[in-house]
């Protein structure tokens, strides 16, 4: 295992202490008049403010990058969020951005010169991409994932990669290559997964923006646990953000799960908007024939929204602090004049979650080896089809006809959601049953559990609320909304109709002034 206080230079495989920084090379300087105190802490400002300062030449991309590198050296050892760092390539990219702006007077794009990290599940040309798997410890892609290419084209400076569980297949973040990522508010708690490194990095100011992936809440659960914003983008026949180059599937695969999406993560809802504008695009092969234009927000003020609230459910009870949070949000919305319906429900929770699990287990079998899949088939044949204990194996090995029947059930659930959103603009739910749960990295998966108001519950109940949107391809945003009595972030989830991504981000912006923030984790001010 690589020592936690060591980061990797991905393009060479050489280890270097995180605190090491090279001398700055000559470069175009910032314009005079910038406020020194603000400039020295610009890396902790919202990403949109950083880009604006860069474009006004109040600070150079290289100087902003050096701020980030110093902060990473101080703060990253506390959380172990960034696991691969390529400072030399980032410096070269920052210098190119500075030369371009000085020579042309025009920014490279909407992310001009902005240092940022990328989840280690997204292939990055010339930078090691492992998805936390020892089998991929030496994988250095020769091509960017499509989403990463969009970041570079927008002018982003890619600094490094953030930690994930092995092949993104856990809802906490640890792997044999890089160890465990800690929750930035409490090291005994999980940061969530699989985008745990991304969420911890954003929360602690190691990056202003991140791109996470989401199948079973991998983007939204870590955001809720770490007190940041995250948007699961819409997915229909094709995703609105291209997913090729995301691991899993394995390197070289052209396809992905039909429920995987990529989306932005940030400390503010406004920064979600900034990154969403960059990421939304057809896959490269489709760009000659069509474009994606997400509709404008449906409402401009909170009072205009028709809001559904699903605060709790017998299928997946939430704890007292989470329920109190939903009650406060409901009261707030009514007080500003929004129409609130806290009675009607779009779907049956149990039916939806069971179908999601079946399709999740089925899609996960795609990259199994022939021998492993044959063993699963043999094991499934020994368990009666109606035995709940066989849900995993029977789903993983289902015949194509069974998948078609399950997909038909999914389409009927999509239609039920469509009918619900004919009368509601959004639905607000808990993001998870509780705040961040104790980390259980050293506990075998069958023995893991969570506790909700003193009641022991299945470990994967953590994702049940976010799975409501995953199954049917709906957009969903997680919004920080205060803290527990123990100081852990709390959050709500807002689900919207298909392609209403901008409506969700707009509502998150409008809610933000009325909601308490999660507070700054200690590492952010290191």
């Amino acid at each position: 295992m690589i020592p936690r206080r060591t980061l990797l230079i991905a393009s060479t495989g050489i280890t270097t202490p995180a605190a090491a920084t090279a001398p700055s090379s000559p470069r175009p300087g910032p314009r005079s008049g910038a406020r020194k105190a603000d400039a020295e802490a610009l890396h902790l400002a919202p990403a949109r403010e950083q880009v604006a300062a860069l474009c006004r030449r109040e600070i150079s991309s290289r100087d902003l990058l050096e701020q980030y590198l110093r902060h990473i050296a101080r703060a990253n050892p506390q959380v172990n969020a960034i696991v691969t760092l390529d400072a030399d390539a980032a410096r070269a990219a920052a210098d190119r951005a500075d030369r371009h702006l000085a020579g042309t007077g025009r920014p490279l794009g909407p992310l001009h010169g902005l240092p940022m990290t990328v989840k280690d599940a997204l292939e990055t040309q010339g930078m090691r991409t492992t998805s936390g798997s020892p089998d991929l410890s030496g994988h250095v892609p020769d091509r960017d994932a499509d989403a990463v290419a969009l970041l570079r084209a927008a002018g982003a400076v890619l600094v490094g990669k953030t930690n994930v569980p092995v092949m993104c297949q856990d809802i906490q973040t640890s792997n044999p290559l890089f160890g465990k990522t800690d929750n930035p508010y409490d090291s005994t708690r999980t940061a969530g997964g699989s985008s745990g490194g991304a969420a911890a990095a954003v929360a602690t100011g190691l990056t202003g923006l991140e791109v996470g992936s989401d199948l079973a809440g991998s983007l939204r659960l870590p955001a809720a646990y770490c007190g940041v914003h995250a948007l699961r983008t819409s997915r229909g026949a094709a995703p609105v953000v291209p997913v090729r180059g995301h691991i899993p599937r394995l390197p070289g695969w052209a396809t992905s799960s039909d429920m995987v999406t990529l989306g932005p993560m940030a400390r503010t809802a406004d920064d979600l908007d900034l990154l969403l504008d960059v990421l939304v695009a057809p896959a490269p092969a489709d760009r000659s024939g069509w474009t994606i234009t997400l509709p404008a927000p449906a409402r401009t003020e909170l009072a205009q929204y028709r809001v559904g609230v699903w605060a709790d459910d017998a299928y997946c009870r939430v704890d007292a602090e989470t329920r109190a949070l939903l009650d406060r949000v409901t009261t707030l919305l009514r007080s500003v004049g929004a129409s609130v319906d806290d009675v009607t429900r779009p779907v049956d929770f149990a039916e939806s979650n069971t179908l999601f699990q079946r399709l999740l287990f089925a899609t996960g079998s795609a990259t199994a080896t022939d021998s492993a899949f044959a063993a699963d088939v043999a094991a499934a044949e020994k368990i009666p089809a109606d035995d709940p204990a066989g849900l995993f194996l029977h789903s993983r090995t289902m015949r194509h006809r069974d998948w078609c029947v399950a997909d038909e059930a999914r389409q009927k659930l999509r239609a039920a959601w469509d009918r619900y959103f004919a009368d509601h603009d959004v639905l607000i739910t808990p993001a998870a049953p509780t705040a961040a749960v104790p980390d259980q990295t050293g506990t075998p998966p069958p023995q893991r559990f969570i506790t909700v108001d003193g009641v022991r519950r299945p470990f994967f109940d953590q994702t049940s609320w976010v799975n409501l949107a995953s199954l049917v391809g709906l957009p969903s945003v997680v919004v920080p909304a205060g803290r527990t009595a123990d100081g852990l972030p709390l959050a709500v989830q807002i689900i919207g109709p298909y392609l209403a991504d901008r409506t969700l981000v707009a509502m998150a912006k409008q809610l933000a002034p009325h909601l308490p923030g999660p507070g700054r984790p200690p590492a952010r001010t290191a």
Side-chain angles (χ1 to χ4, degrees):
M1 181 181 294
I2 295 166
R4 287 192 52 177
R5 294 178 181 267
T6 299
L7 300 177
L8 290 178
I9 300 299
S11 56
T12 63
I14 301 171
T15 59
T16 182
T21 55
S24 300
S25 60
R27 57 195 180 277
R31 292 177 177 175
S32 61
R35 292 177 296 176
K36 183 175 180 181
D38 290 349
E40 288 177 350
L42 188 60
H43 65 289
L44 296 178
R48 197 181 287 276
E49 291 183 19
Q50 295 181 43
V51 173
L54 288 165
C55 292
R56 292 192 299 262
R57 299 188 66 200
E58 294 172 357
I59 190 171
S60 68
S61 177
R62 179 63 179 273
D63 285 340
L64 180 57
L65 171 64
E66 297 300 338
Q67 285 187 23
Y68 271 106
L69 292 175
R70 290 191 292 271
H71 184 54
I72 290 168
R74 292 190 299 265
N76 190 60
Q78 299 179 44
V79 290
N80 193 38
I82 298 176
V83 292
T84 295
L85 184 74
D86 196 340
D88 290 342
R91 288 184 174 111
D95 289 345
R96 286 194 297 271
D98 290 334
R99 288 194 298 269
H100 176 89
L101 186 59
T104 68
R106 298 188 304 274
L108 288 167
L111 300 180
H112 172 85
L114 180 69
M116 62 177 292
T117 57
V118 176
K119 182 177 180 178
D120 196 30
L122 288 167
E123 291 194 300
T124 311
Q125 183 179 11
M127 190 181 297
R128 191 170 78 159
T129 304
T130 73
S131 199
S133 171
D135 293 339
L136 297 176
S137 61
H139 177 52
V140 180
D142 58 8
R143 179 186 178 192
D144 281 332
D146 292 344
V148 173
L150 292 171
L151 298 178
R152 291 196 202 269
V157 172
L158 301 186
V159 180
K161 309 299 284 292
T162 51
N163 206 21
V164 299
V166 177
M167 298 302 281
C168 296
Q169 293 177 356
D170 201 348
I171 53 175
Q172 51 191 19
T173 297
S174 180
N175 62 66
L177 291 175
F178 305 118
K180 178 170 69 74
T181 295
D182 292 336
N183 186 293
Y185 289 85
D186 182 342
S187 63
T188 70
R189 305 277 175 154
T190 180
S194 63
S195 305
V202 171
T204 54
L206 306 179
T207 183
L209 297 173
E210 255 280 2
V211 179
S213 54
D214 193 303
L215 174 55
S218 286
L219 174 66
R220 291 164 293 158
L221 189 69
Y225 285 174
C226 294
V228 299
H229 293 74
L231 173 69
R232 176 188 165 91
T233 51
S234 292
R235 171 145 196 165
V240 300
V241 177
V243 298
R244 190 211 56 79
H246 175 264
I247 306 171
R249 308 288 174 80
L250 295 173
W253 277 59
T255 61
S256 67
S257 164
D258 66 352
M259 294 188 289
V260 164
T261 68
L262 304 182
M265 182 183 286
R267 288 189 295 276
T268 71
D270 190 44
D271 283 348
L272 290 183
D273 225 4
L274 172 66
L275 190 49
L276 183 64
D277 285 342
V278 169
L279 294 173
V280 172
D286 298 326
R287 290 175 192 169
S288 61
W290 57 282
T291 60
I292 299 173
T293 303
L294 292 175
R299 310 293 176 191
T300 57
E301 299 177 7
L302 281 179
Q304 299 171 343
Y305 283 91
R306 302 169 301 168
V307 183
V309 177
W310 195 347
D312 203 354
D313 194 275
Y315 181 77
C316 188
R317 289 292 184 200
V318 302
D319 69 2
E321 288 184 295
T322 301
R323 180 54 195 259
L325 167 63
L326 269 292
D327 290 343
R328 289 194 298 273
V329 171
T330 301
T331 300
L332 162 65
L333 290 168
R334 286 190 168 122
S335 72
V336 299
S339 171
V340 177
D341 169 16
D342 57 2
V343 178
T344 59
R345 303 288 180 253
V347 294
D348 179 87
F349 203 149
E351 177 188 356
S352 176
N353 202 57
T354 300
L355 181 59
F356 172 79
Q357 291 178 67
R358 292 190 65 212
L359 290 170
L360 173 70
F361 299 151
T363 193
S365 68
T367 55
T369 64
D370 291 345
S371 59
F373 186 71
D376 286 342
V377 170
E381 290 173 347
K382 299 176 183 177
I383 302 175
D386 59 353
D387 187 338
L391 176 65
F392 172 77
L393 284 172
H394 283 293
S395 300
R396 187 172 173 83
T397 60
M398 67 170 65
R399 295 185 177 187
H400 182 63
R401 178 185 180 280
D402 296 329
W403 184 91
C404 290
V405 171
D407 186 53
E408 175 66 16
R410 170 167 50 179
Q411 302 310 321
K412 289 178 179 176
L413 284 177
R414 280 180 170 157
W417 280 97
D418 287 344
R419 291 190 294 272
Y420 182 81
F421 283 125
D423 300 315
H424 304 78
D425 296 312
V426 299
L427 173 67
I428 297 180
T429 79
T434 69
V437 303
D439 187 272
Q440 298 173 58
T441 295
T443 304
Q447 299 173 23
R448 296 176 185 173
F449 64 93
I450 63 172
T451 303
V452 181
D453 284 345
V455 178
R456 183 166 169 152
R457 293 259 297 277
F459 184 69
F460 284 95
D461 273 12
Q462 294 173 74
T463 66
S464 294
W465 285 97
V466 288
N467 289 345
L468 286 166
S470 301
L471 173 65
V472 287
L474 298 180
S476 163
V477 66
V478 160
V479 182
R483 291 182 287 179
T484 68
D486 294 332
L488 296 172
L490 286 169
V492 296
Q493 173 182 223
I494 311 174
I495 303 173
Y498 178 55
L499 299 179
D501 305 56
R502 295 197 187 282
T503 293
L504 298 186
V505 174
M507 188 177 193
K509 291 182 192 179
Q510 293 153 8
L511 272 175
H514 303 279
L515 297 175
R520 287 191 174 187
R524 188 164 162 200
T525 54

